[in-house]
Amino acid sequence: MAKKIIKVEKARLQQVYEGEIKEKLKKELSLPNIMQVPKPLKVVLNVGSKEAVGDSKVLQSIVNTLTKIAGQKAVKTYARKSIAGFKLREGMAIGAKVTLRGRLMYEFLDRLITLSLPKVRDFQGLPLKLDGRGGYNIGIKDWSIFPEVAFDVNDKSCGLNVTIQTSALEDAHGVALLRNFGMPFRKA
């Protein structure tokens, strides 16, 4: 029996990046080599919840919802040390995270920029602050802005941290990359 080769199409944002944005950024940033053009490396979605400390059903609900949002299985995160004031013991499950790379990363970024961020109420734009090492963090107060999340009356809504790691060596290069992707930054 012959092996069947499955060809996976590239995500829309990845095609736009490789076809248009890469060359545009090379000229815009006056880089001598196309390999120096910044690119997204990974996207990490992270959810932490204090309700998850006392109730494992809440944590399972968080993992399931984060898996729907990302399109990839989320993993539980555990406390590294005990904190008596929060009734937290070392090794307790307190949240979930998922790391996206490749096609899934581009698909998530596309959905975040084109569908989810415009749904935020009273949205004024995102701040232009990168972390100095090519990383950009977005704090989302309510994950119901994502179209994959079906809002049920009994479910709790959680916040979500999105970290976009790029290969940019300077903040200006990272901002230029994200701006060309269509990231809605705040007007200065």
Side-chain angles (χ1 to χ4, degrees):
M1 191 168 177
K3 288 187 179 181
K4 188 175 182 181
I5 298 174
I6 299 172
K7 186 174 180 179
V8 178
E9 291 229 6
K10 291 183 180 179
R12 187 192 69 84
L13 189 62
Q14 186 175 9
Q15 291 173 353
V16 171
Y17 172 71
E18 291 172 358
E20 302 166 18
I21 296 174
K22 206 171 188 181
E23 198 61 45
K24 184 178 172 185
L25 277 174
K26 182 182 176 213
K27 290 177 184 152
E28 184 181 316
L29 302 173
S30 4
L31 297 170
N33 190 342
I34 196 77
M35 298 303 285
Q36 291 177 326
V37 175
K39 62 183 176 186
L41 300 175
K42 67 180 177 178
V43 173
V44 180
L45 308 175
N46 186 21
V47 176
S49 177
K50 63 182 177 185
E51 287 92 18
V53 173
D55 191 5
S56 63
K57 290 180 184 176
V58 171
L59 184 63
Q60 192 57 45
S61 172
I62 289 172
V63 169
N64 293 340
T65 305
L66 198 56
T67 299
K68 286 180 193 173
I69 291 171
Q72 178 177 311
K73 179 76 171 137
V75 296
K76 294 177 183 176
T77 54
Y78 300 94
R80 284 186 257 165
K81 62 181 185 177
S82 300
I83 302 172
F86 296 121
K87 298 179 182 170
L88 188 65
R89 300 287 168 252
E90 183 178 340
M92 288 178 95
I94 55 172
K97 73 173 184 173
V98 62
T99 302
L100 303 173
R101 299 176 200 271
R103 185 179 55 80
L104 286 175
M105 171 189 65
Y106 282 104
E107 287 177 2
F108 175 78
L109 283 174
D110 196 14
R111 279 184 286 130
L112 176 72
I113 294 167
T114 58
L115 293 175
S116 301
L117 288 178
K119 285 174 72 175
V120 175
R121 191 176 351 144
D122 299 330
F123 185 65
Q124 301 295 319
L126 298 170
L128 274 168
K129 184 108 170 99
L130 270 74
D131 66 0
R133 296 175 294 162
Y136 186 67
N137 290 300
I138 304 168
I140 298 172
K141 291 183 181 176
D142 186 10
W143 65 16
S144 65
I145 63 170
F146 291 99
E148 298 85 10
V149 178
F151 186 74
D152 292 335
V153 178
N154 59 355
D155 282 348
K156 282 269 198 185
S157 184
C158 291
L160 172 69
N161 182 40
V162 179
T163 302
I164 303 168
Q165 189 64 42
T166 67
S167 65
L169 299 176
E170 301 174 23
D171 283 353
H173 291 193
V175 168
L177 171 68
L178 294 173
R179 190 169 269 147
N180 278 295
F181 276 167
M183 191 70 76
F185 287 117
R186 214 174 271 153
K187 303 280 190 272

